[in-house]
Amino acid sequence: MTYVVNGRSFDEEPGPGQCLRTFLRSLGHFGVKKGCDAGDCGACTVWLDGFPVHSCITPAFRAQGHEVTTIEGLGAPGQLHPVQRQFRDAPGFQCGFCTAGMIMTSATFTEAQKADLPRALKGNLCRCTGYRAIEDAVKGVIGVESATPGKAVGTSVAAPAGDEVVTGRAEFTMDTAVEGLLHLKVLHSPHAHARIVSVDKSAALAVPGVRRVYTWQDVPRRRFSTAIHTDHLVDPDDTYILDDTVRFVGQRVAAVVADTVGAAEEGCRRIEVEYEELPAVFDPEAAMADGAPQLHRTDDAFVRDCVHNILLELHSHIGDVDAGFAEADVIHEGTYSSPRVQHAHLETHGSIAWVENGRLTVRTSSQSPSIAKVKLAHLFALRPDQVRVFCMRVGGGFGGKQEVISEDLAALAALDTGRPVCFEYTREEEFTTASPRHPMKLTVRLGAKADGTLTAFQVRNVSNTGAYGNHGGETLYAGGAAVMIYRCPNKKYDGFSVYTNTVPSGALRGYGMTQPAFAVESAMDELARALHLDPFELRRRNIVRPGDPLVALHDGPDDVMFNEDGLGKCIDLVEHAMARAANEPPHGSGWLMGSGVASSLHETAPPTEHLSEAWVTLGDDLVYELAVGTVEFGEGTSTAHVQIAANQLGTTPSRIRLVQSDTDRTGFDTGAFASAGLFVAGNAVLRAANAVRDRILEFAAAHTGVHVVMCSLGDGEVVCGDQHVRLAELVALARARGIRFTAARKAYGSPRSVVSNTQGFKIAVHQVTGEIRILYSVQATDAAVVINPAQVRGQVEGGVAQGIGFALTENYHVDAGGAMVNPNLRNYRIPTYADVPRTELLLVKSADSFGPMGSKGMAECCINPVAPALANALHDATGVRYRALPLTPERIYSRLRENRSIRTA
């Protein structure tokens, strides 16, 4: 068969039933991405005779005799198609994994389609941007700016990889051809709790192309936690690579390695496993009861003291809550529930591992290659110098890749076979085996005086950590920030992280604070109504202010400090914005109108140890090489790091060459999570750049005989008094003396400060259908010094979009046996373009005491107030309080009907 792809003919024969996506990638067109393999996300969009199609559901044979165009054929760096240029200059991407598909779809739009983007973009999903940036790109709105030398900070400069992203040439994890590559697939447990009695591999090994079958008997019997933190002791070592006991539906039972994906999958189907089913428990309250099935044996090293399936308990109090409630004029109590939420990053988990010169090398989709390396060395009893882990561009993370869950099996097979091995998750595996947000049930009890002054603040938090404890303790601890936000002399917090026979929970944007924020901010709204106080005013009277102790789980000293009233300013800005916003209902009858507000505080780095090291070197080509371990997956740290370095070195971002996320080429970096990519790694970059600048100036001062304080570094030269010395001359002189202008500096996540956010919504809800329409969205945040305005805006908009999904559309359905029943994007329903409003962003002007250049990270905190603000608006509209998420139309309608409290529009 002859195929024409991007104007070039190929004489190739696709495999039986092969889809066009995998066929094109086999020909080297890696700009065609895999996000779903079900026609749901649009990441694989290509043109067939100029018409956009989802190549994952298009049979390859149908392309014969037709012209196929991929993103690589649309344009190249230096020769961009107009729409590629628009996406680069908007910028219309963050992680960039969806961008090729977005461009291939939107480059075909007529003017009529551009005027109706909710319909025109319904087949393309983005998890990062919140879609406003994509709309701007489609409409040709330019957002990027050029930076003058030494003035990069505060400018919306373009992402360093912008041209590569929009042309499909930016490499993600799986975008490579490896000779002799083997493929690994996993057999998953059909049972929620069972002991493996026996495994018969013989039929699987008889499948042509199958090379290995691994069970628990074939892997190192070393415990570990899949969670990633610098201090591994904060996470339980309760996991094996493969185990003889399965504790949730979907857990790994065996792994098959074969020449092809199809052979590996067939091998999995032919494995015969005999199970002894064990009693299972799915509800954490039931799991804590006497007589409940116990998930982990009491002789396990970490959990030998685990009683009633409780991984971790936190009990703390300040003052006397009983006395506080006794003096209260009004007491409110409510229980609030939030469900599992999947990250749905469009690039699924995946790793490619091989052995080279006796060293294990792993190319992976991770938020922390440095700690992945540490864990792999532990699992396989290797020295650290025997392991290299690196990342290319990562297609979204949101905390989901703060885990080691694909690297271990790929490494195992590579070490055993001596061949390169690929392990790539399917979308179904993402939903059923990767770690979603912790379901939590929180009971909040508040006491207040008649004037609104809080007298007592009590929270009970039951968190479902699932079958394993990765992130279970740390997310429980992080929830204390929801208690920290308000002043009160009497506080009590009781938290329980509980094992159940469900998919293990993990890290997700907001990290243990999003669920408590929903509960506490909903309760504050209910308290305000009981006191007949405006919700803005009740918050304003009780929020922490500069000089107040940040009291959450204890009243002892800690390293969290703040010196600006960012939260008060956020509340004021949103209140004024809500007052001036239009309040027009949708067309038609039956609509109820309401508004809601919520606030949050978020620490600028995690409480566990966080470390980053940056290296800066001035090369002979007069380009500064910046090496930093932080991964880029859409949070924008790469751009910010380049801007910080350029700013301090008196140059432009174009003269900074970035090397990142490779344990052989960069220093240690705990990882890009908890906004530490800017706060911690950004400080390391700042210090390294300053150190190189100072070395250059000292050398120039000695060369010119001018005091160093009279010298300044510019773009390509150093000015010493009235003398101008070319940088090239200084580099040559230094080289002749054996001197290099290079420096390494480290930064730590302490001391820390806080980020404040306030979210406001105006909504309409239909009293018959239960549909919610968001009429106005506004968020105020104290971003402090803004490194890149376009990126800050994008992070907030993306966080609000994810928060809307958490609150309204995303529903992780689990059946009575513990299995997820909707493991695909179509039925799980992350927000589409049509679901997400434009959010007005209001920035508080301040400066952080500890962040680089006075900045704060924005990637994480912005999601926290979204769900409670929507729930509060829904109550304002209907008079009915909804204390469980998601707020789906059927839930809204049924509650309205039950309460018989429907207002007339």
Side-chain angles (χ1 to χ4, degrees):
M1 292 183 178
T2 300
Y3 292 84
V4 179
V5 183
N6 299 330
R8 181 183 170 193
S9 294
F10 294 87
D11 291 322
E12 297 286 345
E13 183 82 22
Q18 186 173 19
C19 72
L20 184 57
R21 181 190 71 81
T22 58
F23 181 61
L24 290 170
R25 287 180 64 86
S26 72
L27 297 176
H29 301 286
F30 295 117
V32 185
K33 305 301 184 193
K34 182 198 88 169
C36 64
D37 275 337
D40 295 337
C41 75
C44 67
T45 302
V46 300
W47 291 352
L48 211 56
D49 293 335
F51 184 80
V53 298
H54 289 181
S55 62
C56 70
I57 55 173
T58 302
F61 75 84
R62 289 189 179 173
Q64 185 184 17
H66 300 277
E67 176 77 25
V68 178
T69 306
T70 73
I71 187 70
E72 295 95 337
L74 197 64
Q79 296 177 319
L80 298 181
H81 183 279
V83 176
Q84 290 174 315
R85 189 178 301 111
Q86 289 169 206
F87 269 78
R88 181 197 64 186
D89 294 345
F93 65 89
Q94 285 181 24
C95 84
F97 197 79
C98 74
T99 305
M102 285 285 182
I103 290 173
M104 295 306 291
T105 298
S106 57
T108 66
F109 285 169
T110 64
E111 291 304 316
Q113 287 174 305
K114 291 179 183 178
D116 189 11
L117 289 180
R119 179 179 293 276
L121 283 174
K122 66 180 181 180
N124 290 80
L125 297 176
C126 176
R127 192 55 155 168
C128 296
T129 65
Y131 297 101
R132 187 275 315 160
I134 291 170
E135 178 185 337
D136 283 355
V138 171
K139 295 184 176 180
V141 177
I142 295 176
V144 301
E145 304 168 315
S146 297
T148 55
K151 298 186 182 299
V153 168
T155 305
S156 295
V157 303
D163 278 14
E164 286 71 26
V165 168
V166 301
T167 58
R169 288 160 173 80
E171 281 193 34
F172 291 83
T173 310
M174 296 298 163
D175 296 342
T176 185
V178 180
E179 186 176 352
L181 184 67
L182 299 177
H183 298 270
L184 185 149
K185 300 301 290 185
V186 167
L187 174 68
H188 301 282
S189 169
H191 303 296
H193 199 190
R195 186 175 66 85
I196 296 173
V197 177
S198 65
V199 180
D200 186 346
K201 309 176 184 179
S202 57
L205 288 168
V207 173
V210 168
R211 303 287 179 168
R212 297 284 194 279
V213 177
Y214 302 110
T215 70
W216 69 275
Q217 295 173 309
D218 305 306
V219 302
R221 198 69 176 164
R222 287 174 177 255
R223 296 184 186 278
F224 75 112
S225 171
T226 61
I228 281 177
H229 293 103
T230 299
D231 182 359
H232 70 94
L233 296 177
V234 303
D235 304 309
D237 289 335
D238 57 2
T239 306
Y240 291 109
I241 297 174
L242 293 169
D243 202 353
D244 61 344
T245 300
V246 292
R247 296 177 174 87
F248 69 96
V249 175
Q251 182 168 332
R252 302 168 174 179
V253 173
V256 176
V257 179
D259 294 339
T260 65
V261 172
E265 289 176 338
E266 181 61 22
C268 288
R269 285 188 286 268
R270 296 198 186 186
I271 297 173
E272 296 181 10
V273 183
E274 181 184 353
Y275 297 95
E276 177 193 347
E277 288 194 60
L278 303 172
V281 60
F282 306 112
D283 178 75
E285 295 280 8
M288 289 192 289
D290 289 338
Q294 296 297 293
L295 270 70
H296 293 271
R297 298 188 301 272
T298 54
D299 62 346
D300 284 355
F302 186 92
V303 294
R304 66 166 54 95
D305 297 322
C306 175
V307 179
H308 295 128
N309 291 307
I310 299 171
L311 166 68
L312 180 71
E313 295 183 47
L314 290 175
H315 300 287
S316 63
H317 71 276
I318 295 101
D320 185 337
V321 291
D322 291 335
F325 285 119
E327 65 175 298
D329 295 314
V330 172
I331 295 175
H332 164 74
E333 182 173 337
T335 297
Y336 307 84
S337 299
S338 53
R340 288 178 183 83
V341 179
Q342 233 288 328
H343 308 78
H345 34 69
L346 290 191
E347 180 198 41
T348 61
H349 285 84
S351 300
I352 302 171
W354 64 92
V355 177
E356 185 175 359
N357 298 322
R359 299 180 72 221
L360 173 66
T361 299
V362 181
R363 170 175 170 144
T364 187
S365 182
S366 171
Q367 290 176 230
S368 178
S370 292
I371 297 182
K373 170 181 172 175
V374 171
K375 287 184 179 284
L376 292 174
H378 160 72
L379 285 171
F380 300 108
L382 299 171
R383 299 189 313 272
D385 65 297
Q386 293 177 297
V387 183
R388 175 195 178 198
V389 178
F390 71 99
C391 300
M392 306 304 291
R393 196 172 181 91
V394 173
F398 315 112
K401 294 171 181 175
Q402 194 185 338
E403 306 264 354
V404 172
I405 57 176
S406 64
E407 295 86 352
D408 55 343
L409 280 177
L412 167 78
L415 289 166
D416 178 44
T417 65
R419 298 266 301 274
V421 178
C422 172
F423 178 25
E424 183 179 15
Y425 272 41
T426 64
R427 180 56 58 186
E428 181 174 342
E429 286 174 321
E430 286 292 330
F431 279 111
T432 57
T433 70
S435 303
R437 189 188 296 282
H438 291 74
M440 290 185 183
K441 184 171 74 173
L442 294 105
T443 299
V444 181
R445 193 173 187 226
L446 302 174
K449 292 288 193 180
D451 65 358
T453 303
L454 290 176
T455 61
F457 192 161
Q458 185 171 0
V459 174
R460 182 179 188 267
N461 183 359
V462 178
S463 175
N464 186 346
T465 194
Y468 297 93
N470 44 308
H471 297 285
E474 287 300 283
T475 51
L476 189 71
Y477 185 88
V483 180
M484 181 174 67
I485 188 172
Y486 296 112
R487 284 179 284 113
C488 184
N490 306 297
K491 293 183 178 181
K492 190 171 191 295
Y493 182 87
D494 297 290
F496 304 86
S497 182
V498 187
Y499 286 119
T500 65
N501 292 112
T502 58
V503 61
S505 303
L508 205 162
R509 193 180 206 163
Y511 199 78
M513 302 185 208
T514 311
Q515 309 94 312
F518 168 65
V520 168
E521 290 301 291
S522 295
M524 285 293 286
D525 200 75
E526 294 193 67
L527 179 63
R529 294 178 186 278
L531 289 165
H532 306 290
L533 281 176
D534 179 79
F536 284 102
E537 186 57 30
L538 179 64
R539 287 173 171 81
R540 191 177 286 113
R541 291 182 186 182
N542 289 284
I543 57 171
V544 293
R545 304 278 187 177
D548 292 338
L550 288 168
V551 176
L553 302 184
H554 59 81
D555 57 1
D558 61 29
D559 63 346
V560 181
M561 304 162 63
F562 73 117
N563 57 16
E564 66 279 343
D565 184 19
L567 184 54
K569 293 175 182 177
C570 287
I571 292 171
D572 292 345
L573 286 172
V574 170
E575 183 177 32
H576 295 150
M578 295 281 281
R580 61 173 163 74
N583 204 32
E584 294 295 323
H587 293 297
S589 60
W591 292 100
L592 308 173
M593 307 286 288
S595 61
V597 64
S599 294
S600 70
L601 281 183
H602 196 108
E603 295 163 350
T604 52
T608 51
E609 183 180 353
H610 208 102
L611 165 66
S612 184
E613 183 175 9
W615 306 338
V616 174
T617 302
L618 177 58
D620 292 342
D621 58 358
L622 304 185
V623 173
Y624 295 93
E625 182 173 277
L626 168 61
V628 61
T630 307
V631 178
E632 177 59 62
F633 56 94
E635 77 283 21
T637 52
S638 295
T639 313
H641 291 166
V642 167
Q643 288 181 259
I644 292 169
N647 205 81
Q648 300 309 102
L649 294 166
T651 189
T652 60
S654 63
R655 288 191 54 218
I656 306 293
R657 180 170 51 243
L658 184 63
V659 176
Q660 60 188 144
S661 55
D662 185 333
T663 60
D664 268 11
R665 302 180 63 196
T666 62
F668 184 89
D669 186 274
T670 294
F673 53 86
S675 295
L678 178 67
F679 187 79
V680 183
N683 267 327
V685 170
L686 176 70
R687 294 168 187 174
N690 285 345
V692 168
R693 178 200 61 198
D694 293 346
R695 288 189 179 187
I696 294 171
L697 294 179
E698 289 166 2
F699 187 86
H703 173 65
T704 60
V706 177
H707 196 283
V708 70
V709 298
M710 301 295 293
C711 298
S712 62
L713 178 59
D715 193 30
E717 67 174 9
V718 176
V719 180
C720 293
D722 58 0
Q723 300 181 56
H724 292 246
V725 185
R726 290 183 301 111
L727 204 53
E729 179 183 345
L730 291 174
V731 169
L733 288 170
R735 277 285 185 212
R737 300 178 192 177
I739 297 171
R740 296 180 66 210
F741 297 129
T742 185
R745 291 293 184 271
K746 297 176 182 178
Y748 300 85
S750 181
R752 301 173 291 151
S753 59
V754 295
V755 182
S756 308
N757 302 77
T758 298
Q759 174 72 42
F761 284 111
K762 289 194 173 186
I763 69 167
V765 56
H766 201 277
Q767 56 187 329
V768 175
T769 66
E771 176 191 359
I772 288 179
R773 291 190 186 176
I774 299 173
L775 307 177
Y776 177 63
S777 171
V778 59
Q779 185 168 130
T781 183
D782 65 329
V785 173
V786 174
I787 302 292
N788 188 303
Q791 287 196 162
V792 166
R793 184 181 179 190
Q795 290 301 319
V796 172
E797 289 169 338
V800 171
Q802 275 193 308
I804 289 171
F806 174 51
L808 301 184
T809 67
E810 298 178 40
N811 210 340
Y812 195 108
H813 289 285
V814 177
D815 66 17
M820 186 190 189
V821 298
N822 59 323
N824 54 70
L825 292 171
R826 184 167 304 187
N827 295 324
Y828 176 74
R829 274 273 290 134
I830 70 172
T832 67
Y833 178 95
D835 298 314
V836 181
R838 279 195 170 230
T839 293
E840 182 178 358
L841 173 61
L842 306 172
L843 297 176
V844 170
K845 295 182 178 179
S846 65
D848 188 70
S849 303
F850 312 114
M853 316 291 292
S855 65
K856 298 180 182 181
M858 287 289 104
E860 187 147 14
C861 54
C862 43
I863 193 174
N864 293 332
V866 175
L870 278 169
N872 293 339
L874 180 58
H875 179 259
D876 186 52
T878 64
V880 178
R881 173 56 63 174
Y882 295 80
R883 293 177 179 165
L885 298 175
L887 306 172
T888 57
E890 57 270 24
R891 283 188 177 181
I892 293 170
Y893 171 71
S894 63
R895 285 288 309 284
L896 287 175
R897 186 177 180 183
E898 288 171 9
N899 283 268
R900 304 287 183 184
S901 57
I902 300 175
R903 302 182 196 171
T904 57

